[in-house]
Amino acid sequence: MSHSLSGLSRRDFLRYTGLAGTAAAFSVTLGACGGPASTNTTGSSTGTLTAVIGYGNNQTWDPLQTASAFSMAANLHCYESLVEGDSITRDPFPGLAKALPADLTGTSLKFELRDGAKWHDGTPVTADDVVFTYARVLDPNEKVLVHSFFADWLAEVRKTGENSVEFVLKHPFPYALKRIQTAKICPKHVFEGKWKDAAGGKVVGSGPYKVVEQAPLSYTRFEKFAEYNGPRPAAYQSMLWKSIVDAAPRVAAISGANPEAQIVENIPAANAEQLRKSGRSVEFADGGNNLFLMFNTAHAPFDNKLVRQALHYAIDKQKMIQIGLQGAGTAATSFINPKLPASQPAANDFAYNPDKARQLLQQAGVTNLAITLSTTNTSLVSDCVKVIKEGWDAIGVTTTLDSQDTKALFSKLDSGKDFEVVATTNNPLQFGNDPDLLTRYYYDKTSVLMTTYARWTGPESQALLDLQNQAAAETDEARRAQLTKQLLDLISEHAVIYPVVFTQLGTAWNAQKITGVRAQGYPGIYLNQAKPV
């Protein structure tokens, strides 16, 4: 399957996400853009904010396609969904919608649009734009990245008036208001038949900021959208977001007596104390970013779950956290980060136990095992996989590390090239935090990771998917929690795709210049609660 910036699939999440991906060039066209910015209730704006993002701004800007850390963060300040959410909790609040539906137990959700909402070119936002957006989201032929977040529960979105729509559900879905946050409404008159423009950097939104300049791999400049009439008007007249991928100059931008930036994300843990001593606020947040193992179940003996379990038990996660993550991480005792509210302990916690690892290999009848571990070459992965090799070698598994560029690795996987085990990073938390999304991203009938890469099909995988669907459709909260626990147990039993450690993400800011910001457990920054001091 070929990939283009105008037609990304789920596999491209790994390739294009800021944590695992490599930059893909895009043509720059200037366009208006804006987005949720600040809880600045007066609407007064002052000055310029300078921010630094640790990822490239030259990947796709299509809001229904992108997994780029820079683009996704910028789009949160550019486009609006019908329902928006708190950057940390994802608690919903009205975005383009006037109000939230009170009843989520049925199969119909109705929304009215905010009176007077406009696109940045001055055109009114209408129900046609909503229907246009969701028609693309739900069309499997469009292959948009957010399709799988809706396909299992949403049948259609239909117009009920010039400024009103109805969501027709296949079954009640308790996470609907969180999931709707992932679909940014796009203007039909701008992008119909022209999604390549969106991929190329043209951004026309309905929020408080608009993009006025793009310089690939350098910066993106925003200005306040004067006609924005939503709940969170711009706190700044302009924002300059610099793209600085290398850690040293990124840290330098927030260092010293007069730092050039007010806020910088993707701060390495090793630099935190230095920045604090220079007067910066530095916080680390737990989230979804994880280093995971993915096994090729078509390649013996990795078709045996006992072997997969053994290799997890052989890894000293605490040592990996100290060496590879500089202490800024958490051992994976469940498929979902145990520090997130959505998590529950799994039946297999995979705590370091080399004796158990040897026993499981013996039980599986496997001796003299030699493994080539294919890895991406980011510094985080390189430091962590050394601990994996050490643990596997210690139980008698001869381990060879095959490190390569992210794009090169996934090009091989896409082409069907044989592999044994892959170690790399991923962070679905930037799309949402409900347990269905966090598990379905990896385990789903449309998941390239599960079906194409891991080649895991058959009755065992189908049983897992059936349980996942049952949990997602359960409206009783207690029963849904029980089913989710069963799902997490089952995922840990099979361990086809499973995290080893979860990493924390650091953000630094100058508290003398900016207030109302929080570190988040996914890439980028979210400034809808920020304002100048």
Side-chain angles (χ1 to χ4, degrees):
M1 173 179 174
S2 63
H3 303 292
S4 67
L5 293 179
S6 59
L8 295 178
S9 73
R10 178 179 301 206
R11 76 188 69 187
D12 291 294
F13 175 82
L14 287 163
R15 180 177 302 172
Y16 292 108
T17 185
L19 288 162
T22 56
F26 77 137
S27 61
V28 178
T29 55
L30 294 183
C33 163
S38 126
T39 48
N40 174 28
T41 55
T42 65
S44 60
S45 307
T46 177
T48 296
L49 168 76
T50 300
V52 174
I53 311 297
Y55 310 101
N57 67 337
N58 64 330
Q59 300 168 24
T60 178
W61 282 73
D62 184 337
L64 303 180
Q65 293 282 44
T66 190
S68 156
F70 195 109
S71 302
M72 286 193 71
N75 283 343
L76 291 176
H77 302 78
C78 297
Y79 291 92
E80 293 179 282
S81 302
L82 288 173
V83 178
E84 292 291 316
D86 179 85
S87 61
I88 307 299
T89 66
R90 306 299 172 97
D91 290 341
F93 61 87
L96 270 173
K98 271 187 182 179
L100 304 180
D103 184 9
L104 298 177
T105 61
T107 56
S108 173
L109 299 174
K110 296 180 179 179
F111 296 93
E112 287 189 35
L113 298 182
R114 183 176 74 230
D115 293 335
K118 292 183 179 180
W119 300 111
H120 292 138
D121 61 6
T123 305
V125 180
T126 70
D128 290 329
D129 297 310
V130 179
V131 172
F132 164 73
T133 298
Y134 274 94
R136 183 175 183 231
V137 167
L138 293 174
D139 184 351
N141 295 321
E142 288 286 330
K143 295 182 173 61
V144 297
L145 188 64
V146 299
H147 172 76
S148 65
F149 301 154
F150 295 90
D152 290 293
W153 61 275
L154 183 59
E156 67 170 319
V157 175
R158 60 192 183 197
K159 179 178 177 179
T160 57
E162 188 61 27
N163 292 293
S164 59
V165 296
E166 179 186 11
F167 280 53
V168 181
L169 279 59
K170 297 178 181 178
H171 56 74
F173 187 62
Y175 303 119
L177 296 187
K178 286 193 171 184
R179 205 58 65 81
I180 290 171
Q181 296 172 27
T182 65
K184 299 302 179 187
I185 305 304
C186 303
K188 180 179 180 180
H189 69 284
V190 174
F191 292 125
E192 186 172 27
K194 298 179 180 179
W195 287 110
K196 288 184 178 179
D197 291 347
K202 183 173 185 178
V203 191
V204 181
S206 60
Y209 288 99
K210 55 184 180 181
V211 163
V212 294
E213 188 177 6
Q214 296 261 42
L217 292 176
S218 183
Y219 64 85
T220 297
R221 191 184 302 277
F222 306 79
E223 287 184 1
K224 173 186 175 181
F225 176 46
E227 294 186 80
Y228 172 77
N229 70 341
R232 295 181 171 177
Y236 295 89
Q237 286 290 344
S238 63
M239 296 193 298
L240 177 66
W241 287 19
K242 295 185 176 182
S243 168
I244 302 180
V245 177
D246 293 336
R250 192 166 62 247
V251 172
I254 193 70
S255 302
N258 296 294
E260 64 173 294
Q262 286 85 62
I263 183 169
V264 176
E265 60 94 66
N266 197 11
I267 294 293
N271 297 107
E273 197 54 38
Q274 162 206 340
L275 288 171
R276 291 187 181 112
K277 287 180 179 178
S278 67
R280 302 294 92 82
S281 297
V282 185
E283 289 185 6
F284 286 82
D286 295 289
N289 189 48
N290 66 93
L291 177 107
F292 68 94
L293 295 180
M294 176 172 61
F295 294 90
N296 180 355
T297 62
H299 192 122
F302 309 113
D303 55 338
N304 189 326
K305 65 184 179 183
L306 299 181
V307 174
R308 301 191 296 262
Q309 292 175 14
L311 293 172
H312 273 281
Y313 278 115
I315 300 170
D316 189 341
K317 296 182 178 66
Q318 297 304 324
K319 186 173 185 179
M320 181 181 289
I321 291 168
Q322 291 306 314
I323 293 177
L325 306 181
Q326 299 290 309
T330 303
T333 56
S334 182
F335 188 76
I336 300 174
N337 189 336
K339 292 189 176 180
L340 293 181
S343 186
Q344 298 184 61
N348 298 292
D349 65 3
F350 296 123
Y352 181 49
N353 191 335
D355 289 336
K356 186 168 185 176
R358 294 186 186 95
Q359 292 168 7
L360 287 168
L361 288 178
Q362 184 178 13
Q363 187 178 343
V366 173
T367 57
N368 300 319
L369 179 59
I371 296 176
T372 297
L373 179 62
S374 302
T375 79
T376 48
N377 61 358
T378 63
S379 57
L380 182 153
V381 173
S382 297
D383 291 340
C384 286
V385 296
K386 293 173 185 176
V387 180
I388 296 177
K389 173 177 167 54
E390 181 180 311
W392 289 357
D393 287 344
I395 64 167
V397 175
T398 303
T399 309
T400 302
L401 298 179
D402 178 21
S403 177
Q404 52 203 294
D405 175 79
T406 303
K407 183 178 181 180
L409 174 60
F410 282 94
S411 292
K412 292 179 181 178
L413 295 178
D414 291 345
S415 68
K417 184 177 176 62
D418 189 37
F419 74 96
E420 296 179 335
V421 190
V422 164
T424 188
T425 53
N426 201 349
N427 194 343
L429 192 76
Q430 61 190 38
F431 292 100
N433 66 354
D434 67 77
D436 180 66
L437 184 149
L438 294 175
T439 58
R440 192 175 296 275
Y441 193 85
Y442 301 81
Y443 292 95
D444 184 80
K445 61 186 177 183
T446 63
S447 172
V448 173
L449 286 89
M450 184 183 91
T451 59
T452 303
Y453 295 163
R455 299 165 171 82
W456 194 47
T457 58
E460 288 184 336
S461 64
Q462 188 58 51
L464 189 150
L465 299 180
D466 291 344
L467 178 58
Q468 185 170 239
N469 289 337
Q470 185 183 357
E474 178 57 60
T475 57
D476 180 82
E477 188 172 352
R479 175 60 179 155
R480 186 166 68 251
Q482 292 175 351
L483 292 170
T484 300
K485 162 65 173 165
Q486 293 175 26
L487 176 64
L488 294 173
D489 287 347
L490 193 58
I491 292 174
S492 76
E493 176 187 337
H494 292 295
V496 173
I497 306 165
Y498 210 81
V500 179
V501 291
F502 291 92
T503 71
Q504 296 175 332
L505 297 182
T507 303
W509 64 91
N510 185 351
Q512 297 178 340
K513 298 292 185 180
I514 187 172
T515 185
V517 295
R518 294 175 290 174
Q520 58 194 35
Y522 54 96
I525 53 176
Y526 187 64
L527 301 176
N528 75 329
Q529 293 174 304
K531 57 184 179 181
V533 172

